[in-house]
């Protein structure tokens, strides 16, 4: 036992040495949160990736926000009125200040939306405002949004982080975030190293709450685990391997917060591939994947088997859909019917290229092995994110595994399955084309009445499960590893870290070493 | 016994290399289990009777993967060295024998290739060619041939002036006879030493490229991609990285010792 522990100690030292030495502890009462990659944008008008959004939510408020139950609630808006199907009126709270002391007014909201909509901004968030006809400010405290046509997911438009009027567009190199009305302001940003947030002086905070947050970029999973074990890192959101967590818990002052999440993992088919445009082949692939075995052993039970893109917590969720339990015999039979008979070596004349990121490589290998059992040869290509995404958008793949994080409104089905929503304007990367689906998702977008809308999306989910443009794999749980001194952390299904603004640091300061 | 005492590097190096070749040839028999067969129930299983080196995250037998990895690693390294040796010697021989502007041109080209850090050149080439074993061999050979070209040219330049070579010319031997009978045998010794060291270097380079995802494609096991896959589990399953790590270390050590031994042998003989 003693020898084993010493060996581990040596290993830890070695791992720490390759991770560029012992890091300096953050100032006292700062929380250190380890993340895998740098945010790509610090200005909320440009942030689209998960890391940027998580950090932005702590700095910027929006007209409405999504609460822990996935519902839209007022954030900067004190009250909301919907006089008819195309208008929505937001009454702003009074006395809200940006971190530079300016008071928030309706002109800041107008400025933010105008600068995103301005074609010269080239903001990736512009597309989300396509249905926005006008944004008017009848007085200091009122914002009126008018949509082109009745547009059900209008609230999604009201979740953009608000910057002060006159904030210039960010230049090519990423600089500090502009001031926001949120709990924190950004004081330092070092690319691929760290992002420093400090309390917004105009927002009251309890004495036990953190004075600031240091987001440290730590790409290596072992170094993140060691920083947690040594008490250097206080919070690791969704980035510690499931297998490593029990080891950490047994040895240090850590707690795990695990809660159901809405991160949806799926396998996407490319309909330009003739083999895959055959429904029998898609079903055969769905039957060949043992999702239960993967979720139980490989993911250590930190996922729920998914029936569709929308998680059960969402109001639009429909669970009564076709499911595909692991059934290799049926899979083989479907492939035979489709004309892909197994040869003497058990393999069929069906070869597919599966694209993924290096992080997704392990899952790809599992799926490759499972498809090999039914005679499908799969070649894995793992590329870094930018290449991967450009291959997906140009349709250069047969299969791809991806995730959707934080889907809230079921209108997402329109963006990913409507036949007109192919890249670059939409996210239908598999080039799925089904007239029945088009009708449904377009109707869902125009229907305001929640009961009728729910019925439409129930049909959408049934059709998607029947016709299989995606194979649904699972919804990942949100697994956050925290130092025991961090109290009051509340998980969000979409992985938001908003609650870091209100957690308390109990006991000693966040910089203690607890060996 | 006497030989061993005088040249321990040669003995130990030969033993290690012989063992490696044996493993590469017979390892798949010894391993029994399929190195690509996943068994999720045995994910990260500890080393034990069924699995002497444990199982990886997908429940694949690490022992079988290391054994098959030896085949890949040695196969790639020997191919790369053979290819580099042939190309390098030819180019070097042409330069050394032709002399003049041909020599100048060839050697400046060699200098240009040498100006790039070797591994970076290989990474760039592997990235351009795409992943795969053949592309890997080409990429690594592109960085390896220059050493042999310089060596052969240098040797030839000095040998050409030796009395016995001049004598052969005077006695009317044809240029090809001079090259085959007199020059090649003299160059063979230093080349063998260089090639042996070369194998060790290529083993490391191959592992590096596979580690970066530019070498063998999954599910093919290679020591480099095993190291990469095991990295995330260093705290809970160190055997995933230790097994391929030790394999890489022992292989490089073996070839370097053999190279040292051969160099000593060549030194004492001349």
């Amino acid at each position: 036992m003693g020898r084993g522990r010493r060996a581990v100690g040596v290993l830890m030292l070695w791992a720490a040495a390759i991770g560029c030495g012992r890091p300096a502890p953050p100032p006292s009462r700062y929380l250190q949160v380890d993340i895998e990659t740098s945010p790509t944008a610090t200005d909320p008008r440009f942030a689209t990736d998960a890391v940027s959004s998580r950090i932005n939510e702590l700095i910027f408020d929006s007209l409405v926000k999504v609460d822990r139950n996935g519902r839209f609630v007022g954030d900067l808006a004190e009250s909301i009125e919907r006089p008819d199907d195309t208008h929505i009126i937001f009454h702003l709270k009074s006395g809200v200040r940006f971190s530079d002391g300016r008071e928030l007014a309706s002109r800041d909201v107008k400025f933010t939306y105008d600068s995103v909509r301005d074609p010269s901004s080239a903001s990736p968030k512009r597309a989300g405002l396509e249905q926005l006809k006008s944004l008017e400010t009848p007085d200091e405290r009122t914002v009126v949004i008018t949509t082109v046509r009745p547009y059900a997911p209008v609230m999604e438009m009201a979740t953009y982080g608000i910057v002060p009027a006159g904030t210039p567009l960010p230049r090519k190199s990423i600089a500090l975030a502009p001031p926001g009305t949120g709990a924190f302001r950004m004081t330092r940003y070092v690319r691929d190293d760290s992002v420093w947030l400090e309390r917004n002086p105009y927002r009251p905070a309890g004495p036990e709450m953190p004075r600031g947050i240091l987001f440290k970029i730590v790409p290596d999973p072992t170094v993140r685990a060691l920083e947690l074990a040594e008490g250097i890192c206080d919070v690791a959101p969704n980035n510690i391997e499931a297998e490593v967590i029990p080891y950490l818990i047994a040895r240090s002052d850590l707690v795990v917060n695990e809660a159901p999440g809405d991160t949806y993992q799926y396998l996407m088919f490319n309909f330009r591939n003739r083999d895959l445009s055959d429904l029998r082949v898609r079903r055969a692939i769905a039957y060949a994947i043992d999702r239960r075995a993967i979720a139980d052993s490989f993911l250590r039970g930190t996922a729920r088997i998914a029936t569709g893109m929308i998680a059960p917590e969402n109001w639009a969720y429909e669970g009564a859909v076709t499911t595909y339990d692991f059934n290799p015999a049926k899979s083989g039979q479907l492939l035979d019917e489709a004309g892909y008979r197994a040869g003497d070596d058990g393999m069929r004349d069906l070869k597919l290229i599966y694209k993924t990121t290096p992080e997704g490589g392990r899952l790809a290998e599992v799926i490759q092995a499972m498809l090999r059992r039914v005679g499908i040869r799969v070649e894995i290509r793992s590329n870094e994110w930018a290449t991967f995404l450009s291959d997906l958008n140009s349709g250069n793949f047969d299969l791809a595994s991806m995730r959707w994080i934080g889907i809230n409104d079921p209108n997402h089905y329109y963006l990913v399955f409507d036949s007109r929503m192919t890249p670059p304007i939409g996210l239908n990367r598999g080039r799925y084309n089904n007239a029945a689906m088009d009708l449904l998702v377009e109707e869902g977008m125009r229907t305001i009445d929640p009961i009728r809308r729910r019925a439409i999306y129930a049909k959408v989910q049934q059709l998607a499960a029947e016709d299989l443009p995606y194979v649904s794999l699972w919804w990942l749980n949100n697994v956050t590893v925290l130092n025991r001194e961090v109290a009051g952390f509340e998980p969000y299904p979409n992985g938001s870290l908003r609650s870091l603004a209100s957690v308390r640091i109990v006991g000693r300061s966040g910089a203690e070493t607890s060996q | 016994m006497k030989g061993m005492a005088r040249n321990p590097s040669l003995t130990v190096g030969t033993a290690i290399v012989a063992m490696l070749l044996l493993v590469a040839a017979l390892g798949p028999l010894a391993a029994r289990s399929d190195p690509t067969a996943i068994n999720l129930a045995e994910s990260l299983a500890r080393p034990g009777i069924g699995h002497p080196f444990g199982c990886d995250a997908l429940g694949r037998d690490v022992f079988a993967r290391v054994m098959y990895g030896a085949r890949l690693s040695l196969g790639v390294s020997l191919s790369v060295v053979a290819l580099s040796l042939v190309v390098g010697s030819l180019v070097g021989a042409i330069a050394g024998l032709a002399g003049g502007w041909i020599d100048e041109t060839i050697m400046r080209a060699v200098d240009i290739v040498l100006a790039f850090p070797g591994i970076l050149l290989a990474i760039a080439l592997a990235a351009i060619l795409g992943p795969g074993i053949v592309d890997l061999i080409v990429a690594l050979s592109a960085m390896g041939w220059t050493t042999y070209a310089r060596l052969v040219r240098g040797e030839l330049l000095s040998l050409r002036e030796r009395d016995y070579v001049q004598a052969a010319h005077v006695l009317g031997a044809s240029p090809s006879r001079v090259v085959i009978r007199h020059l090649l045998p003299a160059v063979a010794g230093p080349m063998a030493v260089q090639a042996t060291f070369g194998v060790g270097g290529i083993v490391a380079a191959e592992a590096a490229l596979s580690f970066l995802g530019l070498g063998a494609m999954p599910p093919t096991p290679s020591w480099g991609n095993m190291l990469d896959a095991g990295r995330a589990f260093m705290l809970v399953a160190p055997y995933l990285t230790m097994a391929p790590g030790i394999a890489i270390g022992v292989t490089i050590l073996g070839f370097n010792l053999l190279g040292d031994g051969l160099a000593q042998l060549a030194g004492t003989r001349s």
Side-chain angles (χ1 to χ4, degrees), chain A residues 8 11-12 14-15 18 220-222 225-226 241 243-244 247-248 293-294 297-298 300 362 365-366 368-370 372-373 380-382, chain B residues 34 36-44 56-58 60 65 131 213 217-220 229-236 238 241-242:
Chain A
V8 169
L11 199 70
M12 283 185 170
W14 173 59
I18 53 174
D220 190 280
T222 302
L226 289 171
E241 297 282 347
E243 292 86 346
V244 178
Y247 171 92
L248 288 177
I294 300 177
S297 60
F298 180 68
R300 298 293 190 265
R362 241 188 305 151
E365 284 192 61
V366 177
Q368 178 186 48
M370 287 181 171
R372 194 176 61 170
R373 284 182 194 160
I380 298 173
R381 302 272 169 80
S382 66
Chain B
D34 178 356
T36 63
I38 65 164
N39 178 4
L40 294 179
E42 288 195 288
S43 171
L44 300 185
D56 71 4
L58 308 186
R60 296 178 296 203
R65 291 178 73 73
M217 290 313 288
T220 310
R231 207 157 50 103
F233 306 104
M234 255 188 323
L235 293 175
V236 285
T241 39
M242 274 180 194

Side-chain angles (χ1 to χ4, degrees), chain A residues 344-363:
Chain A
D344 294 336
D345 58 350
M347 300 307 282
R348 300 169 197 274
D349 183 26
L350 184 54
K351 246 195 249 170
L352 299 170
I353 295 186
Y354 180 125
K355 300 257 170 149
T356 184
T357 56
E359 296 73 40
R362 241 188 305 151
L363 173 61

